[in-house]
Amino acid sequence: MTTELPQQAKDLLDAANIVTVATINPDGGPQTSILWATYDGDDLLLSTIVGRAKERNFRRDPRVSVLIHDKSNAYAYVEVRGTVTLTTDGGPELIESLSQTYTGGRYTGDDGTDNVRVVVRVSVDHVVAR
């Protein structure tokens, strides 16, 4: 059963706040990454590249924790726990949209590479907001 993404989380993402994403490594230990994020309805959307540790971890174990930081108040945040689904459909479009939100410009990080962009859709199971 999925949970509604609270308005506080949507407001933080609309304001281009970064997120910390925690996945589970093969040995059971945590792996964290700082990412840009957005939402689609009550799902979080993240972008990564095929072959990165977080992408491999998602394929093996789809459980995730995403902490949305409030850059204007270090003690305010929303933690979202859920499960992910992955697709390459829309990958370049998502990273471009995220870049526009976070930097105000075009995303150039994949220029000249053979990177395959992955859309990571997080279905929300649990939310903690402070």
Side-chain angles (χ1 to χ4, degrees), residues 9 26 39 51 53 57 67 76 81 85 101 104 111 117 125 127 130:
Y39 58 92
N57 288 347
L67 187 68
R81 295 180 211 154
T85 56
T101 298
D111 289 357
R117 279 278 157 194
D125 296 326
V127 174
R130 301 272 187 263

Side-chain angles (χ1 to χ4, degrees), residues 44-120:
L44 291 179
L45 298 179
L46 312 168
S47 179
T48 191
I49 296 171
V50 169
R52 293 232 168 120
K54 65 186 145 294
E55 186 264 347
R56 293 189 315 268
N57 288 347
F58 287 143
R59 291 194 186 281
R60 193 190 62 267
D61 186 334
R63 294 176 295 169
V64 66
S65 173
V66 179
L67 187 68
I68 308 166
H69 306 265
D70 184 342
K71 61 188 168 195
S72 67
N73 178 353
Y75 298 101
Y77 64 88
V78 176
E79 180 197 13
V80 173
R81 295 180 211 154
T83 54
V84 303
T85 56
L86 305 173
T87 183
T88 55
D89 293 340
E93 294 81 6
L94 175 59
I95 194 63
E96 181 59 31
S97 175
L98 290 167
S99 185
Q100 291 295 326
T101 298
Y102 282 83
T103 73
R106 182 179 165 278
Y107 185 73
T108 59
D110 291 339
D111 289 357
T113 73
D114 59 357
N115 290 345
V116 176
R117 279 278 157 194
V118 178
V119 175
V120 180

